[in-house]
């Protein structure tokens, strides 16, 4: 079973700051997911990536397959970015059998 | 398509009662997953279906839990003889094999009193 570690667990920053959230996993994977969860429970998929880098608006996700490590960056952070960010990888590496999740990074952006 | 729909959104039940949750996935998605999330933790995998076949169950899914997807469309998750430790958010997600990712529902929050 894949194990996922995220850091930091909690992060408070000022509006406009550059944010980095890190994720490490234990078993080689087909793809890694970054998810966003707002209070109330709904989860939104931000990125699925298997190599390199992806960008969507102010969000950037990178992955290093050899090092089993991924980062999520937020540029020009805004209070509406406040949420829990969760990294997830396939339960056993392959992908068909569901995801294993990190505990999440609770991000608060203060105005 | 309105995404993955879960009902009810909230359920409060007394210990020992049975509860059933429903998940309606995105219609084109052949895979459906159930996860459980407790406060301050990431979601944990419970089980998944490909079409109507239940292909994997986590050790978390005790004998009191059963999931079905009878026609390969919607799915139900039943918990029998609920315990206080069952209180959690139950999340459903769907995907298409060979596709690009997962779509999650808003979850059903269960409180056992």
């Amino acid at each position: 079973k894949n194990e996922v570690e995220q850091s930091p667990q909690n992060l408070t920053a000022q509006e406009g700051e550059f944010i980095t959230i890190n994720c490490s996993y234990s078993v080689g994977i087909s793809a890694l997911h970054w998810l966003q969860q707002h209070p109330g429970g709904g989860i939104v998929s931000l990125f699925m990536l298997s190599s390199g880098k992806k960008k969507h608006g102010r969000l950037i996700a990178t992955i290093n397959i050899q090092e089993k490590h991924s980062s999520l960056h937020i540029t020009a952070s805004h209070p509406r970015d406040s949420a829990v960010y969760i990294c997830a990888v396939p339960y056993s590496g392959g992908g068909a059998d569901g995801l294993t999740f990190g505990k999440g990074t609770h991000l608060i952006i203060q105005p | 398509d309105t995404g993955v729909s879960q009902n009810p959104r909230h359920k409060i039940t007394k210990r020992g009662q049975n509860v059933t949750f429903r998940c309606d996935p995105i219609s084109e998605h052949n895979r459906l997953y159930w996860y459980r999330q407790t406060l301050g933790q990431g979601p944990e995998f419970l089980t998944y279906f490909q079409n109507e076949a239940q292909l994997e169950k986590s050790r978390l899914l005790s004998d009191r839990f059963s999931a079905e997807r009878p026609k390969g469309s919607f799915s139900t998750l039943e918990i029998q003889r609920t315990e206080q430790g069952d209180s959690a958010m139950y999340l459903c997600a769907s995907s298409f094999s060979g596709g690009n990712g997962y779509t999650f529902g808003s979850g059903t929050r269960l409180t056992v009193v």
Side-chain angles (χ1 to χ4, degrees), chain B residues 18-85:
Chain B
N18 299 344
V19 293
T20 299
F21 311 140
R22 176 176 169 129
C23 172
D24 287 88
I26 290 177
S27 53
E28 301 83 23
H29 286 181
N30 59 343
R31 289 182 177 160
L32 186 147
Y33 307 82
W34 284 100
Y35 297 94
R36 182 174 71 186
Q37 185 178 26
T38 52
L39 202 61
Q41 302 295 314
E44 296 172 293
F45 172 76
L46 292 178
T47 188
Y48 104 97
F49 293 83
Q50 179 149 312
N51 301 312
E52 65 275 11
Q54 187 174 20
L55 296 188
E56 183 153 356
K57 293 198 297 186
S58 158
R59 288 172 300 174
L60 293 174
L61 214 65
S62 76
D63 291 345
R64 296 185 296 105
F65 288 69
S66 61
E68 294 183 342
R69 194 183 183 198
K71 296 181 181 178
S73 56
F74 73 91
S75 175
T76 57
L77 177 68
E78 182 183 15
I79 309 174
Q80 297 182 325
R81 304 181 303 282
T82 52
E83 301 172 357
Q84 285 189 316

Side-chain angles (χ1 to χ4, degrees), chain A:
Chain A
K1 177 177 178 264
N2 223 330
E3 302 288 338
V4 181
E5 294 286 335
Q6 272 188 250
S7 63
Q9 278 191 275
N10 297 284
L11 178 56
T12 299
Q14 294 298 121
E15 183 174 356
E17 286 189 39
F18 182 81
I19 303 298
T20 296
I21 299 170
N22 295 300
C23 174
S24 298
Y25 52 93
S26 58
V27 176
I29 58 171
S30 53
L32 178 143
H33 301 257
W34 280 104
L35 309 163
Q36 181 191 59
Q37 187 172 32
H38 282 284
I43 291 180
V44 174
S45 180
L46 297 175
F47 294 104
M48 183 175 101
L49 68 165
S50 54
S51 65
K53 175 178 167 178
K54 284 191 176 180
K55 185 174 189 289
H56 182 80
R58 295 179 295 103
L59 300 177
I60 303 166
T62 63
I63 189 167
N64 184 319
I65 295 293
Q66 286 74 30
E67 295 187 3
K68 299 187 178 66
H69 181 268
S70 176
S71 294
L72 177 69
H73 305 285
I74 305 175
T75 62
S77 59
H78 190 276
R80 64 175 173 266
D81 298 325
S82 299
V84 177
Y85 292 85
I86 304 173
C87 168
V89 298
Y91 191 58
S92 60
D97 49 1
L99 298 173
T100 295
F101 298 78
K103 291 186 177 180
T105 295
H106 188 189
L107 175 65
I108 297 173
I109 304 295
Q110 294 178 333

Side-chain angles (χ1 to χ4, degrees), chain A residues 41-43, chain B residues 3-6 23 90-94 103-108:
Chain A
I43 291 180
Chain B
V4 177
S5 175
Q6 289 190 248
C23 172
Y90 290 84
L91 292 160
C92 176
S94 69
T103 301
F104 285 83
S106 296
T108 293

